[in-house]
Amino acid sequence: MRRIATAVVAGTLLVTTGCASMQSMKMPTQVGGMPLNWKTCGVAGAVAGGLLGAIDSFGAAAAGALTAGLIGVLLCRDVQQPADHDVDGVLDSVDRCPGTPQGQKVDAEGCEMDSDGDTVIDRNDLCAGTPAGVKVNASGCPVAGDADRDGVPDDRDQCASTPVGARVDANGCEFDADGDGVTDVNDRCPTTPAGVQVDASGCEIDSDSDGVPDSRDRCAGTPAGTPVDDQGCERPQDGDHDGVPDTVDRCLDTPAGVAVDAEGCTRTTDADNDGVADSLDRCPGTSFGTPVDAMGCAADQGPGPDTGAAAPGGTGSQAGAATGAASDSVRAVAQGDIVVLQGVNFASGSATLLPESMQVLDSVAGDLLDNPDLAIEVGGHTDNTGSAATNRRLSGQRAEAVRSYLIGKGIPASRLSAVGYGPDRPIASNRTQEGRAANRRVELKKR
């Protein structure tokens, strides 16, 4: 009997000690769905003691159960039971996701599983197995990003690095209104015609830098600094600005404002085609082919009235000497000198040649005929008496009178030009009578 009681007590102590140890070591808090606490220990001790005591007798069984149950309660009453309120198998003390719905699979930290690591738990993940690093939505499915924040998703963005704030089209690329390959924000020529080659600024290429784009340049390769027209071709120089290029201008020093012909020489009208300008023609309407004098009148009619007044180049008394010097004058002109025609005089205040002038001019005409390659300019000059405009007009008329006379003597008009300089080029002082007389002159110079 004593041996049986000892066995009962020993078995009971064993069971209850095991229960207490499981609690103190934070072993699982349930066994078969029953929580491990002091009540459980008491019941377990009673059952174990009763079973062992029953080997001897019913009385021993009752005594063993009571004794073992009491011992189990005493041993386990001060042991604090660890809690797992969401019953997920992870104690609350280490559970990072308390409140997990029952029946859900959790990891060691008590949180529901996220197999693909996209932060969306498996229970809510409609796209399981998303590759690592891919941005997903609330359903765990990939979403298209917009790295350059231009409003076009990366999966459709053909220009993925558009600058922030730039206006883009449906493909995510900056606008290029004229389609020249240069975005509007950088295009200095935003209306370039389609198909035209442009530079980095969106402007048409101008290879020779003449200001005319290659697409309109008919003379590519123009030297730098060369003036060109609107077609990119070299603009001929026009030194006297008379509208006739120097390359064809036979009168390179035409005064500003003077009307010129196609050769750049003073334009004159000759209605009756007798070789004498209308402004000097005393006999307009002469029949075609009729020989005329310097005044445009038939040769047998004479030159008309003469006042005998002195004019540029000398006086009537000098005519004889001047005639002999005319040939020397032409030779000097041929050598590049500017020569005053001594003995060529006009009626006062007019462009009418005095008779003694004819002898001088006849000699000049003869020498010019002997020098067919010599082209000359006839320049008329005055003193500063009176208005400058009047003097320029008078000097031009006198120069034209000399030219017309020489034409009448068989000199081709293309070899002669007439320019009136007025008082602008004095060769002596206008303060003295002698100086003024010297300034009233007709000059010849080589063109």
Side-chain angles (χ1 to χ4, degrees):
M1 181 69 177
R2 181 173 298 174
R3 287 196 300 271
I4 293 173
T6 301
V8 170
V9 172
T12 302
L13 289 174
L14 246 148
V15 173
T16 55
T17 301
C19 289
S21 297
M22 290 176 66
Q23 293 182 38
S24 63
M25 292 171 63
K26 298 184 180 179
M27 297 292 284
T29 58
Q30 293 188 3
V31 175
M34 181 180 293
L36 294 177
N37 52 34
W38 64 272
K39 296 179 182 179
T40 304
C41 290
V43 171
V47 170
L51 290 175
L52 291 175
I55 297 173
D56 184 71
S57 64
F58 177 77
L66 179 61
T67 303
L70 180 59
I71 293 172
V73 170
L74 292 175
L75 288 176
C76 296
R77 65 177 181 177
D78 293 329
V79 177
Q80 185 175 2
Q81 173 64 37
D84 177 16
H85 290 92
D86 55 7
V87 196
D88 59 0
V90 179
L91 299 178
D92 290 351
S93 60
V94 295
D95 196 337
R96 293 184 58 192
C97 301
T100 302
Q102 288 190 10
Q104 299 302 320
K105 187 178 180 181
V106 298
D107 56 21
E109 294 181 329
C111 295
E112 293 189 58
M113 297 296 292
D114 175 16
S115 302
D116 54 12
D118 61 1
T119 71
V120 178
I121 58 177
D122 292 352
R123 162 167 72 90
N124 297 327
D125 199 336
L126 300 180
C127 299
T130 303
V134 176
K135 188 176 182 181
V136 298
N137 57 22
S139 298
C141 295
V143 295
D146 181 11
D148 54 9
R149 301 180 183 178
D150 59 1
V152 179
D154 291 344
D155 61 348
R156 290 192 292 110
D157 199 334
Q158 296 182 18
C159 301
S161 58
T162 304
V164 176
R167 292 179 62 244
V168 298
D169 56 22
N171 295 320
C173 297
E174 293 185 66
F175 279 109
D176 176 17
D178 55 8
D180 60 1
V182 179
T183 58
D184 290 353
V185 69
N186 297 316
D187 200 333
R188 294 177 56 192
C189 303
T191 57
T192 304
V196 173
Q197 188 177 6
V198 299
D199 57 22
S201 299
C203 297
E204 294 188 58
I205 300 290
D206 177 14
S207 301
D208 54 9
S209 301
D210 60 0
V212 179
D214 290 355
S215 62
R216 293 190 289 109
D217 199 334
R218 296 182 58 186
C219 300
T222 304
T226 302
V228 298
D229 56 23
D230 57 1
Q231 294 183 330
C233 295
E234 185 173 353
R235 181 183 295 121
Q237 296 293 320
D238 179 14
D240 54 7
H241 305 290
D242 59 0
V244 179
D246 291 351
T247 53
V248 296
D249 196 336
R250 308 204 51 180
C251 302
L252 297 175
D253 296 323
T254 305
V258 174
V260 298
D261 56 23
E263 295 181 328
C265 297
T266 303
R267 182 186 300 155
T268 58
T269 57
D270 180 13
D272 55 9
N273 296 309
D274 60 0
V276 179
D278 290 347
S279 61
L280 303 174
D281 199 334
R282 299 282 296 277
C283 302
T286 303
S287 299
F288 180 75
T290 301
V292 297
D293 58 20
M295 300 297 102
C297 297
D300 59 354
Q301 294 181 8
D306 177 17
T307 63
T315 64
S317 62
Q318 299 172 322
T323 300
S327 295
D328 293 336
S329 297
V330 171
R331 283 193 293 271
V333 170
Q335 295 174 2
D337 293 339
I338 298 176
V339 176
V340 177
L341 280 180
Q342 300 291 341
V344 176
N345 303 304
F346 301 86
S348 178
S350 78
T352 301
L353 283 164
L354 296 178
E356 62 266 27
S357 302
M358 313 303 181
Q359 302 173 33
V360 176
L361 294 179
D362 287 346
S363 178
V364 170
D367 285 336
L368 288 175
L369 288 172
D370 293 338
N371 293 272
D373 295 330
L374 180 61
I376 65 172
E377 176 194 287
V378 180
H381 300 265
T382 67
D383 59 24
N384 66 354
T385 302
S387 122
T390 299
N391 282 331
R392 290 191 188 97
R393 183 173 61 253
L394 177 60
S395 65
Q397 291 172 346
R398 287 176 171 176
E400 185 59 43
V402 172
R403 176 176 180 267
S404 296
Y405 185 89
L406 295 174
I407 291 172
K409 292 299 179 177
I411 309 302
S414 61
R415 293 176 56 194
L416 302 169
S417 62
V419 180
Y421 293 101
D424 297 337
R425 299 185 180 183
I427 58 175
S429 172
N430 280 306
R431 294 182 179 180
T432 66
Q433 182 175 354
E434 292 78 8
R436 288 191 294 274
N439 289 332
R440 298 191 299 271
R441 68 197 187 277
V442 173
E443 292 179 341
L444 298 182
K445 70 176 181 178
K446 185 179 180 180
R447 284 202 332 224

